[in-house]
Amino acid sequence: MRLELGKIFIKDIQFADSSKIENGILYVNKEELLEAIGGDEHIKSIDFDIAKPGESVRITPVKDVIEPRVKVEGPGAIFPGILNKVDTVGEGKTYALKGMAVVTTGKIVGFQEGIIDMVGEGAKYTPFSQLNNLVVICEPVDGLKQHDHEKAVRMIGFKAAAYIGELARELTPDETSVYETKPLLEQLNEYPDLPKVAYVYMLQTQGLLHDTYVYGVDAKQIVPTILYPTEVMDGAIVSGNCVSACDKNPTYVHLNNGIIEDLYARHGKDYNFVGVVITNENVYLMDKERSSNWTSKLVEYLGVDAVIISQEGFGNPDTDLIMNCKKIENKGIKTVIVTDEYAGQNGASQSLADADEKADAVVTAGNANQVVVLPKLDKIIGHIEVVDVIAGGAEGSLKDDGTIVVEIQAITGATNETGYNYLTAKTY
């Protein structure tokens, strides 16, 4: 598959009488946007706000972060199986609005939602502080069940991103990148002298509110399979989970998977990037065994020399990570695992819940238990009281003077594994 990704850089967002993109500025008509995304019986109100880099603004609780994209040529449309038909995507031409995101917030869905600070200490730990954020504030009806609340906010976020992305359809991109992965035999023979590398992409699927969707299917219901990397760029994988904010991959991170982008950047130069194997993270041992068996089998079938394995989440998924690593290594294929750590606030605890001597090449995305003090900011979008109950926070995290003391696991994207540039991370 060959995908041209046109990048349109957004330098500002403003509310206006009509929605359009002009000279790098996104103008949004609130009424038009509301008409496009509203109408869910589970949501009693929707409002919009804007948060820009450097502003004294805190967004919490953050449900998802989504980069608007629109497919302008080729089969399918953005978010297949979610907003559009289940056509196979990943080829043709897609436009992405860079430098901005749609962020969803409102009353908390689950205790593992997070914080985005646009300035100060917290801004150092989240990549989303550097974006112009269109914030969609969704308040649920009283008594709504958590899974209905999550789905309603998730779908509103995707609809908002699709609406904004559609504004770019007739524009000329500021920059275009081309990504191509050929059918397997052709791809394997293209660079015979380079090491053949694949990417094992572990998706969070640990039960209710820990969901990731592949072409609209909850990944708990799939067995490991092979994707063209470009399918990911067209929204074939999206977030639906409320795992700890620093651990979960928001939809933005799936669309901009840093490992895939780095592998493509060195494809044909340092190695031959063959493709992606997606797998899930399970609760029961039998399911873990099945998925890790299939993952290692598919990697062997691809005929690669090495794989990079990334994990989403922590604790229980550490076992899936080590199973994948060990079984792939046992087939004579080298592995590098990318994970974060929960090493305790003093950094002295065991970093992972599972380990094996074959996991001898590890890239860390940081210690999620590291404590930070977030200053009082002038404006809150959402509900500030939740910082006392979200993962990484505790009773009393919100101080009387407005400062917040939390572990960085409470910050959205703080130690995100797949969004992390593993080439510059610390390797053990």
Side-chain angles (χ1 to χ4, degrees):
M1 285 187 176
R2 182 180 187 276
L3 180 69
E4 294 183 25
L5 186 64
K7 302 174 183 179
I8 296 166
F9 296 105
I10 301 299
K11 58 189 179 184
D12 193 17
I13 303 176
Q14 299 176 19
F15 292 124
D17 294 333
S18 62
S19 295
K20 60 182 178 179
I21 300 170
E22 195 171 79
N23 298 322
I25 300 175
L26 169 63
Y27 296 95
V28 178
N29 180 288
K30 287 186 176 183
E31 289 73 23
E32 292 176 2
L33 178 55
L34 181 60
E35 184 177 355
I37 70 174
D40 192 303
E41 64 181 0
H42 300 105
I43 300 298
K44 66 181 178 183
S45 69
I46 300 176
D47 199 3
F48 309 103
D49 211 330
I50 296 169
K52 304 177 184 180
E55 291 184 336
S56 185
V57 176
R58 173 169 292 137
I59 311 168
T60 190
V62 174
K63 173 63 177 67
D64 199 6
V65 184
I66 311 163
E67 182 177 78
R69 295 191 174 194
V70 61
K71 191 146 201 65
V72 296
E73 289 181 13
I78 293 296
F79 307 135
I82 301 290
L83 296 182
N84 298 288
K85 292 180 180 180
V86 195
D87 294 318
T88 301
V89 294
E91 59 183 325
K93 186 180 295 185
T94 295
Y95 293 166
L97 274 59
K98 312 302 291 186
M100 73 150 295
V102 170
V103 177
T104 49
T105 188
K107 186 179 179 181
I108 195 167
V109 175
F111 68 90
Q112 292 181 307
E113 295 173 63
I115 300 168
I116 295 175
D117 280 2
M118 301 304 294
V119 73
E121 186 68 15
K124 298 176 183 178
Y125 294 96
T126 173
F128 308 122
S129 65
Q130 304 305 307
L131 303 177
N132 292 288
N133 293 310
L134 175 64
V135 186
V136 184
I137 308 158
C138 306
E139 300 297 353
V141 298
D142 295 338
L144 185 63
K145 294 181 179 179
Q146 284 181 302
H147 62 278
D148 290 327
H149 186 185
E150 186 280 321
K151 181 179 179 180
V153 177
R154 169 168 32 103
M155 295 304 294
I156 287 170
F158 293 148
K159 290 177 182 178
Y163 170 87
I164 298 300
E166 193 64 35
L167 301 176
R169 180 175 291 277
E170 304 301 326
L171 299 182
T172 300
D174 299 302
E175 180 182 301
T176 298
S177 298
V178 178
Y179 304 93
E180 185 174 17
T181 298
K182 297 177 179 177
L184 183 58
L185 289 179
E186 187 177 353
Q187 187 65 65
L188 290 173
N189 292 323
E190 186 171 23
Y191 300 105
D193 297 328
L194 294 179
K196 296 180 287 293
V197 178
Y199 171 37
V200 174
Y201 193 174
M202 293 173 56
L203 306 177
Q204 176 60 254
T205 54
Q206 285 184 281
L208 184 63
L209 300 181
H210 288 63
D211 308 321
T212 304
Y213 295 88
V214 180
Y215 281 94
V217 175
D218 188 336
K220 285 190 289 295
Q221 302 175 25
I222 71 169
V223 290
T225 190
I226 297 169
L227 291 184
Y228 282 97
T230 52
E231 292 178 79
V232 180
M233 298 177 178
D234 268 349
I237 300 175
V238 299
S239 175
N241 77 65
C242 299
V243 73
S244 289
C246 74
D247 278 290
K248 78 173 182 179
N249 295 322
T251 299
Y252 183 101
V253 173
H254 290 300
L255 291 165
N256 293 279
N257 185 300
I259 293 176
I260 289 177
E261 292 185 355
D262 285 341
L263 284 166
Y264 265 130
R266 298 177 66 174
H267 175 61
K269 302 172 184 176
D270 300 304
Y271 37 64
N272 184 352
F273 180 26
V274 172
V276 174
V277 174
I278 60 169
T279 185
N280 46 24
E281 300 169 352
N282 299 289
V283 176
Y284 298 110
L285 180 59
M286 181 176 68
D287 297 324
K288 292 177 183 292
E289 292 284 10
R290 179 190 299 111
S291 288
S292 56
N293 286 342
W294 278 58
T295 298
S296 61
K297 176 182 68 174
L298 288 173
V299 168
E300 181 183 41
Y301 176 74
L302 290 175
V304 297
D305 302 301
V307 297
I308 296 168
I309 311 171
S310 70
Q311 170 192 9
E312 183 178 12
F314 68 99
N316 191 305
D318 293 351
T319 299
D320 302 82
L321 174 68
I322 296 301
M323 280 183 165
N324 286 325
C325 171
K326 182 169 61 177
K327 291 178 181 180
I328 292 170
E329 286 273 354
N330 284 341
K331 292 183 179 295
I333 300 166
K334 296 296 183 182
T335 65
V336 174
I337 63 175
V338 184
T339 182
D340 64 359
E341 306 175 50
Y342 277 75
Q345 293 184 0
N346 62 1
S349 299
Q350 181 175 328
S351 296
L352 299 176
D354 198 357
D356 189 271
E357 61 183 8
K358 292 185 181 297
D360 58 0
V362 183
V363 178
T364 176
N367 178 19
N369 295 132
Q370 178 183 333
V371 176
V372 292
V373 179
L374 309 181
K376 178 183 179 181
L377 298 185
D378 295 335
K379 180 179 178 180
I380 304 297
I381 303 176
H383 298 269
I384 189 62
E385 67 276 7
V386 304
V387 302
D388 274 357
V389 298
I390 59 177
E395 185 177 355
S397 284
L398 178 60
K399 305 301 180 183
D400 291 339
D401 63 0
T403 60
I404 301 172
V405 179
V406 290
E407 296 180 352
I408 63 170
Q409 65 172 300
I411 299 174
T412 301
T415 61
N416 188 280
E417 293 97 326
T418 57
Y420 200 80
N421 187 333
Y422 72 98
L423 296 176
T424 59
K426 184 176 180 181
T427 306
Y428 292 107

